[in-house]
Amino acid sequence: LPLDTCVADTQGGMGFMLQQCLDNAFGQAGRRRPTVTVVTRTVVELDDPAFRHPSKPIGNFYDEAEARRRMAADGWAMREDAGRGWRRVVPSPEPREIVEQPAIEALLGTGAVVVAAGGGGIPVVRRPDGSLAGVEAVVDKDLASALLAVGLGAEVLLILTGVEHVAVDFGRPTQRHLHELDAATLAAHAAAGQFAPGSMLPKVQAALRFLEEGGRRAVITTPELSEKALAGEIGTQLTSSSP
């Protein structure tokens, strides 16, 4: 299947799982709150440099011999991934527009909990006549979430990942967790190369864009700590300016 269709399939399947969990949780809490999943398209641009330089790892890990066979037989771009094996890499263009944003806004206005922009959204481009066409790419989910959050006028962006805090000197004896800091300090760490591309860097970039565009607070932590993190008790807490 082409990648745009794969993203659509994943959005639908995982959206269903999230709706089931949310509906059941609301029911157990005795609350009536509708949940809705929106199959979401994200507009990208065909002249984005990412299409000339695929960088987003997807799919399975392969040994080098199998990776080279795939590259020759299927035309895949592949790259060694942090000592864990070889993976296919695909374009990851910048998200420019969330097509379904007006529909998402309307649903939020009814009090619904909306699951949207799964997997970064289905990548599409606008043709000269204004019609949309899917493209083979994967949009970064954190950047797409920040774009949607800005468009909706959200005050807080919560980014969930596999670590409790953003860290500098990650994996070194000098590793240090970042608890509370402003956007300028975080941007300086990013400019110094502290965050790995394809890992923590997109999350940091998403948080910075959200704050630059008027967001009040961005938080990065694990799913298990999300409630405490929203309350400001844990995780990396980011604001647009220093206190």
Side-chain angles (χ1 to χ4, degrees), residues 160-164 221-229 234:
L160 301 178
T161 185
V163 292
E164 293 184 13
T221 193
T222 63
E224 295 81 5
L225 297 174
S226 57
E227 188 172 0
K228 288 185 176 180
I234 203 165

Side-chain angles (χ1 to χ4, degrees), residues 59-71:
N60 297 329
F61 290 90
Y62 300 91
D63 60 34
E64 184 174 354
E66 177 63 14
R68 296 197 180 280
R69 189 190 73 78
R70 292 266 180 172
M71 287 189 280

Side-chain angles (χ1 to χ4, degrees), residues 142-143 145-146 150 157-159 166 183 186 200-220 236-240:
D142 300 304
L143 297 180
S145 296
V150 168
L157 176 64
L158 173 64
I159 298 175
V166 179
L186 184 66
M200 185 56 74
L201 182 59
K203 301 178 193 310
V204 167
Q205 291 172 330
L208 289 173
R209 291 185 190 184
F210 175 71
L211 294 172
E212 288 166 3
E213 294 296 327
R216 181 171 59 83
R217 181 167 62 109
V219 185
I220 302 175
T236 297
Q237 305 281 334
L238 306 164
T239 55
S240 56

Side-chain angles (χ1 to χ4, degrees), residues 3 12 14 45 72 83 100 172 227 230-231:
L3 283 176
M14 295 188 72
E45 297 175 352
E100 281 71 29
R172 303 173 193 166
E227 188 172 0
L230 279 176

